[in-house]
Amino acid sequence: MHLGNARTALLAWLAARAAGSRFVLRVEDLDRARVLPGAEARLLDDLRWLGIDWDEGPDVGGPAAPYRQSERAERYDQAIARLVAEGRAYACACSRADVARAATAPHAADEEGPRYPGTCRALPAQVVLDRAAALGRAASVRFAAGSERIAFTDGVRGPVAGELADDFVLRRADGVAAYQLAVVVDDAAMGIAEIVRGDDLLASTARQIALGRALGLSIPRFAHVPLVLAPGGDRLAKRTRPLALGELRARGAAPEAVVGALAASAGLAAPATRVAAAALVTSFALDRVARDAVEIDAQALLAAIP
């Protein structure tokens, strides 16, 4: 967990606690090849160190268990089967490379990649399955998005209107449910009424609302908070090697100093404030959160350690 992850988690937790709501911790571990041994335990420990607790989660259970997506595949398969049966999803033999070669529009601003050209949309399912088999791969499943324009009011950004990018993937060719499908199914099953997350996921919201409507699910409220950037303006990511929260802890940083820096970056506290997470709850409101991406200098936090 780096400071960007920690800041978003803190803001989501504050939104829930200020509203007197449940806070649910879900482990989104669908991509098993990228799951590192011990990562979940370290993440949970980092959150507790910051002063963040949760009412439901993989370690405490709850009425919507299990709370690891890797253990919820049957629910995703059921949702996809329903969408296929109702004509809202279809098999697709195209790989990412195929879509990129056929694309007539630039890449989207998220991980969905270029606009899907609809190659398999009108083909009989057996034709698609045979084509995929001939290419030595299984078929994926895509959402039949149509042309509905999705508008919503974001808890931080205000009114947002966006058109669905394309027929996005619901299940990958390797049989694993895609992020877009899994979070929609899980949010509904877990009774999530509000989602607070980074604004790098803003472009996914229209897709998720359309998918939720197709499944007849309640649509949660969304609030997208600005990202944390590394000094110099780079987005925090593996390639920029941001300082991990665990390293700050190991080198003597106090949780109150880290929470204070995160709160100050969001406009919720003065710079250099030391504060416990719980002390921020009573004065928290989403409309107080700063609207611009911010830089947090982890090295400055280390330099301030007595």
Side-chain angles (χ1 to χ4, degrees), residues 158-224:
V160 178
E163 190 170 348
L164 287 182
D166 62 359
D167 292 3
F168 54 89
V169 172
L170 300 177
R171 182 165 59 214
R172 303 180 333 204
D174 62 4
V176 176
Y179 162 79
Q180 308 287 4
L181 183 281
V183 295
V184 169
V185 170
D186 289 345
D187 289 340
M190 295 175 185
I192 302 301
E194 183 173 52
I195 296 167
V196 179
R197 60 190 185 185
D199 64 9
D200 55 328
L201 290 169
L202 184 66
S204 291
T205 307
R207 299 182 185 111
Q208 292 167 14
I209 291 173
L211 183 52
R213 289 175 180 172
L215 288 167
L217 304 175
S218 296
I219 307 300
R221 300 183 303 276
F222 292 89
H224 291 85

Side-chain angles (χ1 to χ4, degrees), residues 76 81 83 123 168:
Y76 309 144
L83 291 167
L123 296 178
F168 54 89

